[in-house]
Amino acid sequence: MSSIAQLLDGKALAQKMQTELATQVQSLTPQYGRPPGLAVLMVGDNPASAAYVRNKEKACAAVGIASFGKHFPNEATQAEVADMIAQLNADDRVDGILVQLPLPDHLDSVALLNQIHPDKDADGLHPMNLGRLVRTEPGLRSCTPYGVMRLLEAYNLDPAGKTAVVVGRSILVGKPIALMLLDANATVTIAHSRTPNLAEVTRSADILVAAVGRPNLITADMVKPGAIVVDVGINRITDETTGKSRLVGDVDFNAVQSVAEYLTPVPGGVGAMTVTMLLHNTVWSYQQRFQK
């Protein structure tokens, strides 16, 4: 019995959520006397980062969030960026601050991220917010894993009682998604590049999350038939014959779609949710500040 997996359409869900956020912002702005504000800081001219920042600013405008972007030249110093973060922490118009990664090598990104006020940490990466996640306390959640959870919820895929395997242990995705799945009553295993018999571990998963950043790492024989497969990887590969580049995930999509029951596409799956959760976090912070 072979059927094609149902796609978890992150793009459609992201559009629906952004429409809902726009309605919410429209009704709150007159009450609070100003719109929510998001500041995106970028250093240097990495083309991928520049595209992400443009995308975020466009999404902000669509929802009614004010953008306070700041673009530094590549040679900006640690002190200059830190000073800007301090100004934004104190700026009452700003509810969310995001430092676009990666930063140039001479900057200490961890130190800069830690300077963002935890209540304005739109990316949910401050140690205080990660601590709140560990303790299952309310707080800002890391956007990509949070987007994965919202996507599962939208398709009524409840992790409770299921075996979940997360491949990848980054602080951006792997660790927080494992905690979120645990919080949703799944039994969670974290695997990674040094896990012996990786295929054996992944085949036990009712929910398999791939977040390694390695193209087509997860093949059909690594997936339990009928599993929910969430592909967080976004890898740009270039076709050697045509020279054209395209985006692929960590999952071998064509092969896995005949084994899994649900599968996220790349692009159009988790990536689309990440920016939406950033907007959601900004609006959440905005509401928290006015409800205190």
Short mmCIF file of all heavy atoms in Angstrom, two decimals, residues 121-126 129-153 157-166 168 170-190 207 209 230 232 270 273-274 277-278 280-281:
data_model
loop_
_atom_site.label_atom_id
_atom_site.label_comp_id
_atom_site.label_asym_id
_atom_site.label_seq_id
_atom_site.Cartn_x
_atom_site.Cartn_y
_atom_site.Cartn_z
N ASP A 121 13.19 40.13 22.97
CA ASP A 121 13.97 39.14 22.24
C ASP A 121 13.07 38.39 21.25
O ASP A 121 12.61 37.29 21.51
CB ASP A 121 14.58 38.19 23.29
CG ASP A 121 15.16 36.92 22.71
OD1 ASP A 121 15.70 36.98 21.59
OD2 ASP A 121 15.07 35.88 23.38
N ALA A 122 12.83 39.03 20.09
CA ALA A 122 11.85 38.52 19.13
C ALA A 122 12.20 37.13 18.59
O ALA A 122 11.34 36.40 18.15
CB ALA A 122 11.70 39.50 17.98
N ASP A 123 13.48 36.77 18.66
CA ASP A 123 13.91 35.47 18.15
C ASP A 123 13.88 34.37 19.21
O ASP A 123 14.15 33.21 18.92
CB ASP A 123 15.33 35.60 17.59
CG ASP A 123 15.41 35.20 16.13
OD1 ASP A 123 14.39 34.71 15.60
OD2 ASP A 123 16.46 35.38 15.52
N GLY A 124 13.58 34.75 20.47
CA GLY A 124 13.47 33.76 21.54
C GLY A 124 14.77 33.04 21.87
O GLY A 124 14.76 31.89 22.33
N LEU A 125 15.92 33.70 21.66
CA LEU A 125 17.21 33.02 21.84
C LEU A 125 17.97 33.47 23.10
O LEU A 125 19.05 32.97 23.37
CB LEU A 125 18.10 33.26 20.62
CG LEU A 125 17.59 32.64 19.31
CD1 LEU A 125 18.50 33.02 18.17
CD2 LEU A 125 17.48 31.13 19.43
N HIS A 126 17.42 34.43 23.83
CA HIS A 126 18.10 34.89 25.04
C HIS A 126 18.06 33.76 26.08
O HIS A 126 17.07 33.03 26.18
CB HIS A 126 17.38 36.13 25.59
CG HIS A 126 18.13 36.81 26.69
ND1 HIS A 126 18.12 36.35 27.98
CD2 HIS A 126 18.93 37.91 26.68
CE1 HIS A 126 18.88 37.15 28.73
NE2 HIS A 126 19.38 38.10 27.96
N ASN A 129 14.90 33.43 27.99
CA ASN A 129 13.75 32.84 27.30
C ASN A 129 13.91 31.35 27.08
O ASN A 129 12.94 30.60 27.15
CB ASN A 129 13.49 33.58 25.98
CG ASN A 129 12.87 34.95 26.24
OD1 ASN A 129 12.01 35.09 27.11
ND2 ASN A 129 13.33 35.96 25.53
N LEU A 130 15.15 30.91 26.85
CA LEU A 130 15.39 29.46 26.74
C LEU A 130 15.13 28.81 28.09
O LEU A 130 14.58 27.71 28.17
CB LEU A 130 16.81 29.19 26.24
CG LEU A 130 17.03 29.55 24.76
CD1 LEU A 130 18.52 29.61 24.44
CD2 LEU A 130 16.33 28.57 23.83
N GLY A 131 15.49 29.50 29.17
CA GLY A 131 15.22 29.00 30.52
C GLY A 131 13.72 28.90 30.79
O GLY A 131 13.24 27.92 31.39
N ARG A 132 12.97 29.89 30.31
CA ARG A 132 11.51 29.85 30.47
C ARG A 132 10.92 28.67 29.71
O ARG A 132 9.96 28.04 30.17
CB ARG A 132 10.89 31.16 29.96
CG ARG A 132 11.14 32.34 30.90
CD ARG A 132 10.77 33.67 30.24
NE ARG A 132 10.94 34.78 31.15
CZ ARG A 132 11.10 36.04 30.78
NH1 ARG A 132 11.13 36.35 29.49
NH2 ARG A 132 11.24 37.00 31.68
N LEU A 133 11.50 28.38 28.54
CA LEU A 133 11.04 27.22 27.77
C LEU A 133 11.31 25.93 28.54
O LEU A 133 10.44 25.06 28.64
CB LEU A 133 11.73 27.20 26.40
CG LEU A 133 11.50 25.96 25.53
CD1 LEU A 133 10.02 25.75 25.21
CD2 LEU A 133 12.30 26.07 24.23
N VAL A 134 12.50 25.81 29.10
CA VAL A 134 12.86 24.61 29.88
C VAL A 134 11.89 24.44 31.05
O VAL A 134 11.47 23.33 31.38
CB VAL A 134 14.32 24.70 30.41
CG1 VAL A 134 14.62 23.58 31.40
CG2 VAL A 134 15.30 24.62 29.25
N ARG A 135 11.50 25.55 31.66
CA ARG A 135 10.62 25.50 32.83
C ARG A 135 9.13 25.55 32.47
O ARG A 135 8.28 25.65 33.34
CB ARG A 135 10.95 26.67 33.78
CG ARG A 135 12.35 26.60 34.36
CD ARG A 135 12.66 27.86 35.16
NE ARG A 135 11.70 28.04 36.23
CZ ARG A 135 11.89 27.67 37.50
NH1 ARG A 135 13.03 27.10 37.84
NH2 ARG A 135 10.97 27.86 38.41
N THR A 136 8.84 25.50 31.14
CA THR A 136 7.47 25.63 30.61
C THR A 136 6.73 26.85 31.19
O THR A 136 5.57 26.79 31.53
CB THR A 136 6.62 24.34 30.79
OG1 THR A 136 6.46 24.08 32.18
CG2 THR A 136 7.25 23.15 30.12
N GLU A 137 7.45 27.96 31.28
CA GLU A 137 6.85 29.23 31.70
C GLU A 137 6.55 30.06 30.44
O GLU A 137 7.21 29.88 29.43
CB GLU A 137 7.82 30.01 32.60
CG GLU A 137 8.06 29.33 33.94
CD GLU A 137 9.20 30.00 34.73
OE1 GLU A 137 9.80 30.97 34.22
OE2 GLU A 137 9.47 29.53 35.85
N PRO A 138 5.57 30.97 30.52
CA PRO A 138 5.31 31.81 29.35
C PRO A 138 6.53 32.65 29.01
O PRO A 138 7.26 33.08 29.90
CB PRO A 138 4.15 32.73 29.80
CG PRO A 138 3.66 32.19 31.08
CD PRO A 138 4.70 31.30 31.66
N GLY A 139 6.77 32.85 27.74
CA GLY A 139 7.91 33.66 27.31
C GLY A 139 8.01 33.62 25.80
O GLY A 139 7.22 32.96 25.14
N LEU A 140 8.97 34.35 25.26
CA LEU A 140 9.16 34.37 23.81
C LEU A 140 9.84 33.08 23.37
O LEU A 140 10.81 32.65 23.98
CB LEU A 140 10.00 35.60 23.43
CG LEU A 140 9.24 36.91 23.60
CD1 LEU A 140 10.19 38.09 23.70
CD2 LEU A 140 8.24 37.13 22.47
N ARG A 141 9.31 32.46 22.33
CA ARG A 141 9.81 31.16 21.87
C ARG A 141 10.56 31.31 20.56
O ARG A 141 10.18 32.11 19.70
CB ARG A 141 8.63 30.20 21.64
CG ARG A 141 7.77 29.93 22.88
CD ARG A 141 8.53 29.07 23.89
NE ARG A 141 7.69 28.63 25.00
CZ ARG A 141 7.87 28.98 26.27
NH1 ARG A 141 8.83 29.83 26.59
NH2 ARG A 141 7.11 28.50 27.21
N SER A 142 11.60 30.53 20.40
CA SER A 142 12.41 30.51 19.18
C SER A 142 11.51 30.26 17.95
O SER A 142 10.71 29.33 17.95
CB SER A 142 13.46 29.41 19.35
OG SER A 142 14.28 29.37 18.25
N CYS A 143 11.65 31.12 16.94
CA CYS A 143 10.64 31.19 15.86
C CYS A 143 10.47 29.92 15.04
O CYS A 143 9.35 29.51 14.76
CB CYS A 143 10.99 32.34 14.91
SG CYS A 143 10.97 33.93 15.73
N THR A 144 11.58 29.29 14.63
CA THR A 144 11.43 28.12 13.75
C THR A 144 10.77 26.95 14.47
O THR A 144 9.78 26.40 13.97
CB THR A 144 12.80 27.73 13.15
OG1 THR A 144 13.29 28.87 12.41
CG2 THR A 144 12.68 26.55 12.22
N PRO A 145 11.25 26.52 15.65
CA PRO A 145 10.57 25.42 16.34
C PRO A 145 9.12 25.75 16.71
O PRO A 145 8.24 24.90 16.61
CB PRO A 145 11.41 25.17 17.59
CG PRO A 145 12.45 26.19 17.64
CD PRO A 145 12.49 26.91 16.34
N TYR A 146 8.89 27.00 17.08
CA TYR A 146 7.54 27.44 17.42
C TYR A 146 6.63 27.30 16.19
O TYR A 146 5.48 26.87 16.27
CB TYR A 146 7.61 28.90 17.89
CG TYR A 146 6.43 29.43 18.66
CD1 TYR A 146 5.41 28.60 19.11
CD2 TYR A 146 6.34 30.80 18.93
CE1 TYR A 146 4.32 29.14 19.82
CE2 TYR A 146 5.27 31.33 19.63
CZ TYR A 146 4.26 30.49 20.07
OH TYR A 146 3.19 31.01 20.75
N GLY A 147 7.18 27.65 15.03
CA GLY A 147 6.44 27.51 13.76
C GLY A 147 6.10 26.06 13.47
O GLY A 147 5.02 25.74 12.98
N VAL A 148 7.04 25.15 13.78
CA VAL A 148 6.79 23.71 13.58
C VAL A 148 5.62 23.26 14.44
O VAL A 148 4.71 22.55 13.98
CB VAL A 148 8.06 22.88 13.94
CG1 VAL A 148 7.74 21.38 13.97
CG2 VAL A 148 9.19 23.16 12.95
N MET A 149 5.60 23.71 15.70
CA MET A 149 4.52 23.30 16.61
C MET A 149 3.16 23.83 16.12
O MET A 149 2.15 23.13 16.18
CB MET A 149 4.80 23.78 18.04
CG MET A 149 6.05 23.18 18.67
SD MET A 149 6.13 21.37 18.66
CE MET A 149 4.89 20.95 19.90
N ARG A 150 3.15 25.06 15.62
CA ARG A 150 1.89 25.63 15.12
C ARG A 150 1.41 24.89 13.87
O ARG A 150 0.22 24.73 13.64
CB ARG A 150 2.08 27.13 14.81
CG ARG A 150 2.22 27.99 16.05
CD ARG A 150 1.03 27.95 16.99
NE ARG A 150 -0.10 28.70 16.52
CZ ARG A 150 -0.37 29.96 16.89
NH1 ARG A 150 0.42 30.61 17.73
NH2 ARG A 150 -1.43 30.58 16.43
N LEU A 151 2.36 24.44 13.06
CA LEU A 151 2.03 23.69 11.84
C LEU A 151 1.40 22.34 12.21
O LEU A 151 0.39 21.94 11.62
CB LEU A 151 3.30 23.52 11.02
CG LEU A 151 3.19 23.11 9.56
CD1 LEU A 151 2.22 23.98 8.78
CD2 LEU A 151 4.56 23.16 8.89
N LEU A 152 1.98 21.65 13.18
CA LEU A 152 1.41 20.36 13.62
C LEU A 152 0.00 20.58 14.16
O LEU A 152 -0.93 19.83 13.87
CB LEU A 152 2.29 19.72 14.70
CG LEU A 152 3.69 19.25 14.27
CD1 LEU A 152 4.48 18.74 15.48
CD2 LEU A 152 3.62 18.17 13.20
N GLU A 153 -0.14 21.65 14.94
CA GLU A 153 -1.44 21.97 15.56
C GLU A 153 -2.51 22.26 14.50
O GLU A 153 -3.65 21.81 14.60
CB GLU A 153 -1.24 23.21 16.43
CG GLU A 153 -2.34 23.54 17.40
CD GLU A 153 -2.05 24.88 18.09
OE1 GLU A 153 -0.94 25.05 18.63
OE2 GLU A 153 -2.92 25.76 18.05
N LEU A 157 -2.31 17.37 14.43
CA LEU A 157 -1.35 16.29 14.67
C LEU A 157 -0.80 16.46 16.08
O LEU A 157 0.15 17.21 16.32
CB LEU A 157 -0.22 16.35 13.62
CG LEU A 157 -0.69 16.20 12.16
CD1 LEU A 157 0.45 16.45 11.19
CD2 LEU A 157 -1.31 14.83 11.92
N ASP A 158 -1.45 15.81 17.02
CA ASP A 158 -1.09 15.97 18.44
C ASP A 158 0.10 15.08 18.78
O ASP A 158 0.03 13.86 18.61
CB ASP A 158 -2.32 15.58 19.28
CG ASP A 158 -2.10 15.82 20.77
OD1 ASP A 158 -0.98 16.25 21.15
OD2 ASP A 158 -3.04 15.59 21.55
N PRO A 159 1.22 15.66 19.27
CA PRO A 159 2.39 14.84 19.60
C PRO A 159 2.21 13.94 20.83
O PRO A 159 3.02 13.05 21.06
CB PRO A 159 3.49 15.88 19.89
CG PRO A 159 2.98 17.17 19.30
CD PRO A 159 1.49 17.10 19.41
N ALA A 160 1.15 14.16 21.61
CA ALA A 160 0.98 13.41 22.88
C ALA A 160 1.01 11.91 22.62
O ALA A 160 0.32 11.41 21.73
CB ALA A 160 -0.33 13.81 23.55
N GLY A 161 1.85 11.21 23.39
CA GLY A 161 1.91 9.76 23.31
C GLY A 161 2.72 9.24 22.13
O GLY A 161 2.88 8.03 21.96
N LYS A 162 3.24 10.16 21.29
CA LYS A 162 4.01 9.72 20.12
C LYS A 162 5.51 9.71 20.41
O LYS A 162 5.99 10.40 21.30
CB LYS A 162 3.72 10.63 18.92
CG LYS A 162 2.28 10.51 18.42
CD LYS A 162 2.15 11.14 17.05
CE LYS A 162 0.87 10.70 16.35
NZ LYS A 162 -0.33 11.15 17.05
N THR A 163 6.23 8.91 19.64
CA THR A 163 7.69 8.90 19.72
C THR A 163 8.21 9.93 18.72
O THR A 163 7.89 9.86 17.53
CB THR A 163 8.21 7.50 19.34
OG1 THR A 163 7.69 6.57 20.27
CG2 THR A 163 9.73 7.45 19.38
N ALA A 164 8.98 10.90 19.22
CA ALA A 164 9.53 11.94 18.34
C ALA A 164 11.05 11.83 18.33
O ALA A 164 11.67 11.64 19.36
CB ALA A 164 9.11 13.32 18.83
N VAL A 165 11.63 11.92 17.14
CA VAL A 165 13.09 11.96 17.03
C VAL A 165 13.48 13.26 16.34
O VAL A 165 12.95 13.59 15.27
CB VAL A 165 13.64 10.75 16.23
CG1 VAL A 165 15.15 10.88 16.00
CG2 VAL A 165 13.35 9.44 16.96
N VAL A 166 14.36 14.02 16.98
CA VAL A 166 14.87 15.27 16.42
C VAL A 166 16.31 15.01 15.99
O VAL A 166 17.14 14.61 16.81
CB VAL A 166 14.82 16.41 17.47
CG1 VAL A 166 15.42 17.69 16.90
CG2 VAL A 166 13.40 16.64 17.96
N GLY A 168 19.50 16.76 15.02
CA GLY A 168 20.08 18.10 15.10
C GLY A 168 19.96 18.61 16.52
O GLY A 168 18.93 18.38 17.16
N SER A 170 21.08 21.98 17.55
CA SER A 170 21.45 23.40 17.63
C SER A 170 20.55 24.12 18.64
O SER A 170 19.44 23.67 18.94
CB SER A 170 21.29 24.07 16.27
OG SER A 170 19.91 24.22 15.97
N ILE A 171 21.06 25.25 19.12
CA ILE A 171 20.28 26.06 20.06
C ILE A 171 19.16 26.79 19.30
O ILE A 171 18.17 27.22 19.88
CB ILE A 171 21.22 27.04 20.81
CG1 ILE A 171 20.63 27.43 22.15
CG2 ILE A 171 21.60 28.24 19.99
CD1 ILE A 171 20.67 26.39 23.19
N LEU A 172 19.31 26.92 17.97
CA LEU A 172 18.30 27.58 17.15
C LEU A 172 17.07 26.71 16.95
O LEU A 172 15.95 27.19 17.00
CB LEU A 172 18.87 27.89 15.76
CG LEU A 172 19.66 29.17 15.60
CD1 LEU A 172 20.32 29.19 14.23
CD2 LEU A 172 18.77 30.39 15.75
N VAL A 173 17.29 25.41 16.69
CA VAL A 173 16.16 24.55 16.36
C VAL A 173 16.12 23.25 17.16
O VAL A 173 15.13 22.96 17.84
CB VAL A 173 16.15 24.20 14.84
CG1 VAL A 173 14.95 23.32 14.50
CG2 VAL A 173 16.13 25.45 13.99
N GLY A 174 17.19 22.47 17.10
CA GLY A 174 17.16 21.11 17.66
C GLY A 174 16.76 21.04 19.12
O GLY A 174 15.80 20.35 19.49
N LYS A 175 17.47 21.80 19.97
CA LYS A 175 17.16 21.74 21.41
C LYS A 175 15.78 22.31 21.73
O LYS A 175 15.00 21.67 22.43
CB LYS A 175 18.26 22.43 22.21
CG LYS A 175 19.53 21.57 22.28
CD LYS A 175 20.68 22.29 22.94
CE LYS A 175 21.92 21.42 22.92
NZ LYS A 175 23.15 22.20 23.10
N PRO A 176 15.44 23.53 21.23
CA PRO A 176 14.10 24.04 21.56
C PRO A 176 12.96 23.18 21.04
O PRO A 176 11.96 23.00 21.72
CB PRO A 176 14.07 25.45 20.99
CG PRO A 176 15.33 25.65 20.25
CD PRO A 176 16.28 24.56 20.57
N ILE A 177 13.07 22.60 19.82
CA ILE A 177 11.95 21.80 19.32
C ILE A 177 11.80 20.53 20.16
O ILE A 177 10.68 20.07 20.43
CB ILE A 177 12.08 21.47 17.80
CG1 ILE A 177 10.79 20.83 17.25
CG2 ILE A 177 13.21 20.53 17.49
CD1 ILE A 177 9.63 21.73 17.10
N ALA A 178 12.92 19.99 20.63
CA ALA A 178 12.85 18.80 21.50
C ALA A 178 12.09 19.14 22.78
O ALA A 178 11.23 18.37 23.24
CB ALA A 178 14.25 18.29 21.81
N LEU A 179 12.39 20.31 23.36
CA LEU A 179 11.70 20.73 24.58
C LEU A 179 10.21 20.98 24.34
O LEU A 179 9.37 20.64 25.16
CB LEU A 179 12.36 22.00 25.13
CG LEU A 179 13.74 21.80 25.76
CD1 LEU A 179 14.46 23.13 25.89
CD2 LEU A 179 13.62 21.13 27.12
N MET A 180 9.89 21.58 23.19
CA MET A 180 8.48 21.86 22.88
C MET A 180 7.69 20.56 22.67
O MET A 180 6.54 20.44 23.10
CB MET A 180 8.38 22.76 21.64
CG MET A 180 8.84 24.18 21.90
SD MET A 180 8.79 25.16 20.36
CE MET A 180 9.72 26.61 20.85
N LEU A 181 8.32 19.59 22.01
CA LEU A 181 7.65 18.29 21.80
C LEU A 181 7.47 17.56 23.13
O LEU A 181 6.44 16.93 23.37
CB LEU A 181 8.45 17.44 20.80
CG LEU A 181 8.37 17.89 19.34
CD1 LEU A 181 9.51 17.28 18.52
CD2 LEU A 181 7.02 17.52 18.72
N LEU A 182 8.47 17.68 23.98
CA LEU A 182 8.40 17.07 25.31
C LEU A 182 7.25 17.69 26.11
O LEU A 182 6.47 16.99 26.75
CB LEU A 182 9.74 17.33 26.03
CG LEU A 182 10.07 16.55 27.29
CD1 LEU A 182 10.06 15.05 27.04
CD2 LEU A 182 11.44 16.98 27.81
N ASP A 183 7.14 19.01 25.99
CA ASP A 183 6.08 19.75 26.66
C ASP A 183 4.70 19.33 26.14
O ASP A 183 3.70 19.40 26.85
CB ASP A 183 6.31 21.24 26.40
CG ASP A 183 5.56 22.11 27.37
OD1 ASP A 183 5.22 21.62 28.46
OD2 ASP A 183 5.30 23.28 27.03
N ALA A 184 4.67 18.88 24.87
CA ALA A 184 3.40 18.43 24.27
C ALA A 184 3.19 16.92 24.50
O ALA A 184 2.39 16.29 23.82
CB ALA A 184 3.40 18.75 22.78
N ASN A 185 3.95 16.37 25.46
CA ASN A 185 3.78 14.96 25.89
C ASN A 185 4.22 13.91 24.87
O ASN A 185 3.71 12.79 24.88
CB ASN A 185 2.33 14.69 26.34
CG ASN A 185 1.97 15.58 27.52
OD1 ASN A 185 2.77 15.75 28.44
ND2 ASN A 185 0.79 16.17 27.49
N ALA A 186 5.17 14.28 24.01
CA ALA A 186 5.80 13.26 23.16
C ALA A 186 6.97 12.66 23.95
O ALA A 186 7.46 13.27 24.91
CB ALA A 186 6.32 13.89 21.88
N THR A 187 7.40 11.47 23.54
CA THR A 187 8.63 10.88 24.09
C THR A 187 9.73 11.20 23.10
O THR A 187 9.64 10.81 21.93
CB THR A 187 8.45 9.36 24.24
OG1 THR A 187 7.36 9.13 25.14
CG2 THR A 187 9.71 8.71 24.79
N VAL A 188 10.73 11.96 23.55
CA VAL A 188 11.65 12.59 22.61
C VAL A 188 13.07 12.03 22.68
O VAL A 188 13.64 11.87 23.76
CB VAL A 188 11.71 14.12 22.87
CG1 VAL A 188 12.62 14.81 21.85
CG2 VAL A 188 10.32 14.73 22.81
N THR A 189 13.64 11.76 21.50
CA THR A 189 15.06 11.40 21.37
C THR A 189 15.73 12.48 20.54
O THR A 189 15.18 12.88 19.50
CB THR A 189 15.21 10.04 20.65
OG1 THR A 189 14.53 9.05 21.39
CG2 THR A 189 16.67 9.65 20.48
N ILE A 190 16.90 12.94 20.98
CA ILE A 190 17.68 13.88 20.16
C ILE A 190 18.85 13.11 19.56
O ILE A 190 19.66 12.53 20.28
CB ILE A 190 18.22 15.07 20.99
CG1 ILE A 190 17.06 15.81 21.67
CG2 ILE A 190 18.99 16.03 20.09
CD1 ILE A 190 17.50 16.98 22.53
N ILE A 207 7.09 10.98 14.81
CA ILE A 207 7.34 12.34 14.32
C ILE A 207 8.86 12.48 14.17
O ILE A 207 9.60 12.33 15.14
CB ILE A 207 6.84 13.41 15.33
CG1 ILE A 207 5.33 13.26 15.57
CG2 ILE A 207 7.16 14.82 14.84
CD1 ILE A 207 4.78 14.17 16.67
N VAL A 209 11.87 15.01 13.01
CA VAL A 209 12.23 16.40 12.68
C VAL A 209 13.69 16.42 12.24
O VAL A 209 14.58 16.02 12.99
CB VAL A 209 12.05 17.34 13.91
CG1 VAL A 209 12.42 18.77 13.54
CG2 VAL A 209 10.62 17.28 14.43
N VAL A 230 9.05 16.31 9.43
CA VAL A 230 9.17 17.77 9.39
C VAL A 230 10.59 18.12 8.98
O VAL A 230 11.55 17.77 9.67
CB VAL A 230 8.84 18.38 10.78
CG1 VAL A 230 9.03 19.90 10.74
CG2 VAL A 230 7.42 18.03 11.21
N VAL A 232 13.27 20.82 8.47
CA VAL A 232 13.62 22.20 8.83
C VAL A 232 14.79 22.71 7.98
O VAL A 232 15.05 23.90 7.90
CB VAL A 232 13.96 22.29 10.35
CG1 VAL A 232 14.30 23.72 10.76
CG2 VAL A 232 12.79 21.78 11.19
N VAL A 270 8.34 24.80 6.60
CA VAL A 270 8.69 25.43 7.88
C VAL A 270 9.23 26.85 7.69
O VAL A 270 8.94 27.73 8.48
CB VAL A 270 9.73 24.55 8.63
CG1 VAL A 270 10.19 25.22 9.91
CG2 VAL A 270 9.15 23.17 8.92
N MET A 273 6.90 29.64 7.97
CA MET A 273 6.37 29.85 9.32
C MET A 273 7.31 30.69 10.18
O MET A 273 6.87 31.38 11.10
CB MET A 273 6.13 28.50 10.00
CG MET A 273 5.00 27.69 9.41
SD MET A 273 3.42 28.55 9.53
CE MET A 273 3.21 28.62 11.32
N THR A 274 8.61 30.62 9.90
CA THR A 274 9.59 31.29 10.77
C THR A 274 9.33 32.79 10.85
O THR A 274 9.28 33.36 11.95
CB THR A 274 11.03 30.99 10.28
OG1 THR A 274 11.22 29.57 10.30
CG2 THR A 274 12.07 31.63 11.17
N MET A 277 6.16 33.60 12.82
CA MET A 277 6.30 33.49 14.28
C MET A 277 7.08 34.68 14.84
O MET A 277 6.86 35.10 15.98
CB MET A 277 6.97 32.17 14.68
CG MET A 277 6.20 30.93 14.27
SD MET A 277 4.39 31.00 14.38
CE MET A 277 4.14 31.07 16.14
N LEU A 278 7.98 35.25 14.05
CA LEU A 278 8.69 36.47 14.45
C LEU A 278 7.68 37.62 14.62
O LEU A 278 7.73 38.37 15.60
CB LEU A 278 9.73 36.82 13.38
CG LEU A 278 10.50 38.11 13.55
CD1 LEU A 278 11.47 38.00 14.72
CD2 LEU A 278 11.27 38.44 12.28
N HIS A 280 4.45 37.18 15.13
CA HIS A 280 3.60 36.76 16.27
C HIS A 280 4.28 37.15 17.59
O HIS A 280 3.65 37.70 18.50
CB HIS A 280 3.38 35.25 16.19
CG HIS A 280 2.77 34.66 17.42
ND1 HIS A 280 1.41 34.55 17.60
CD2 HIS A 280 3.35 34.16 18.55
CE1 HIS A 280 1.18 34.00 18.79
NE2 HIS A 280 2.33 33.76 19.38
N ASN A 281 5.60 36.86 17.70
CA ASN A 281 6.35 37.19 18.92
C ASN A 281 6.34 38.69 19.19
O ASN A 281 6.20 39.13 20.34
CB ASN A 281 7.80 36.70 18.81
CG ASN A 281 7.96 35.23 19.14
OD1 ASN A 281 7.04 34.58 19.63
ND2 ASN A 281 9.14 34.68 18.86
#
